[in-house]
Amino acid sequence: LNAGSELKVPVYFGTESREVWLRGEGFFEVVHRENLIFTVHTDKADISVLGTEFDVRAYTDEKEVVTTLVQGAVGVSSGRTYDRLKPGEQARIAGKGDVRVAEVDIYPFIAWKNGRMVFENERLEKIMAELQRWYDFEVFFQQQEVKNYRFRGVLSRDMDIRQALDIIEETTDLKFDIKGKTILVRK
């Protein structure tokens, strides 16, 4: 499970299915059991498999559920549509239940399980939200336009928050002031 995530698992799985409920992000390696489906329920979609490796991102404060398939096959159901993914594909389920499937480089989406945060042309607002989940702080932007600054790079989760912010400061005109559990972002 990634930071800020919750997984509900029954005490015993049934004889016909294995079901869990996810808020946040989790990486699953599911062992194949003949005729025994494994289902991850989220608030916007259900992901069902027989045996595979995949990532599900379903944070309640984000607008979409994202499922990335590493190997095997998964079915993604939003109540309105059903799509079957192949390895290297990703399904994005928006609030209305629309499913968009695309081929992706899986590494940025599963790097978190190896202690890495990978950003590819990502907005600062989203980067700070990721850091906020991991380091547990509040963030305030003094100028709203800096939320749209874009970055690419890899951060290691074993560095402290100051080290991570120093990397961003070195490449921009931004400053990060840390006071207790609050970070002020300013130009």
Side-chain angles (χ1 to χ4, degrees):
L1 291 179
N2 203 345
S5 300
E6 175 183 299
L7 183 68
K8 292 183 181 177
V9 180
V11 176
Y12 299 103
F13 283 124
T15 58
E16 295 179 12
S17 68
R18 300 171 285 177
E19 298 180 79
V20 297
W21 291 260
L22 175 69
R23 282 192 193 153
E25 186 170 15
F27 185 83
F28 298 87
E29 293 181 30
V30 180
V31 174
H32 177 73
R33 299 275 191 263
E34 191 66 35
N35 299 321
L36 190 58
I37 295 171
F38 182 88
T39 303
V40 178
H41 298 284
T42 71
D43 63 343
K44 293 182 182 76
D46 298 326
I47 298 88
S48 298
V49 300
L50 291 172
T52 190
E53 291 182 27
F54 63 102
D55 183 79
V56 178
R57 184 180 178 99
Y59 286 106
T60 56
D61 63 338
E62 293 182 355
K63 294 179 183 175
E64 57 187 7
V65 171
V66 180
T67 300
T68 307
L69 181 60
V70 176
Q71 78 177 37
V74 298
V76 178
S77 172
S78 68
R80 294 177 53 181
T81 61
Y82 176 85
D83 286 279
R84 187 177 173 104
L85 300 182
K86 296 179 285 195
E89 287 186 332
Q90 181 180 78
R92 291 181 171 269
I93 302 96
K96 296 178 182 176
D98 298 324
V99 179
R100 294 183 333 265
V101 176
E103 285 188 28
V104 297
D105 173 8
I106 63 170
Y107 176 70
F109 301 98
I110 65 169
W112 64 267
K113 70 185 196 76
N114 295 318
R116 303 265 186 263
M117 290 179 272
V118 178
F119 304 108
E120 297 284 340
N121 194 31
E122 199 62 65
R123 293 176 63 239
L124 180 61
E125 182 176 33
K126 184 164 186 212
I127 292 170
M128 293 305 291
E130 291 293 319
L131 293 172
Q132 190 174 6
R133 278 192 189 101
W134 187 252
Y135 293 104
D136 189 29
F137 61 83
E138 293 295 319
V139 64
F140 295 96
F141 293 90
Q142 189 169 13
Q143 297 88 10
Q144 294 302 304
E145 68 269 12
V146 302
K147 291 180 179 181
N148 293 316
Y149 281 31
R150 292 196 171 266
F151 298 89
R152 66 174 294 178
V154 178
L155 296 175
S156 174
R157 287 198 167 164
D158 59 3
M159 62 178 51
D160 67 39
I161 186 63
R162 184 74 255 172
Q163 290 173 305
L165 297 176
D166 285 347
I167 291 170
I168 297 172
E169 280 184 351
E170 289 174 15
T171 61
T172 66
D173 60 348
L174 296 177
K175 298 292 178 211
F176 298 91
D177 297 324
I178 301 174
K179 292 189 175 52
K181 295 187 76 70
T182 302
I183 296 177
L184 175 68
V185 183
R186 62 181 175 83
K187 287 204 289 189

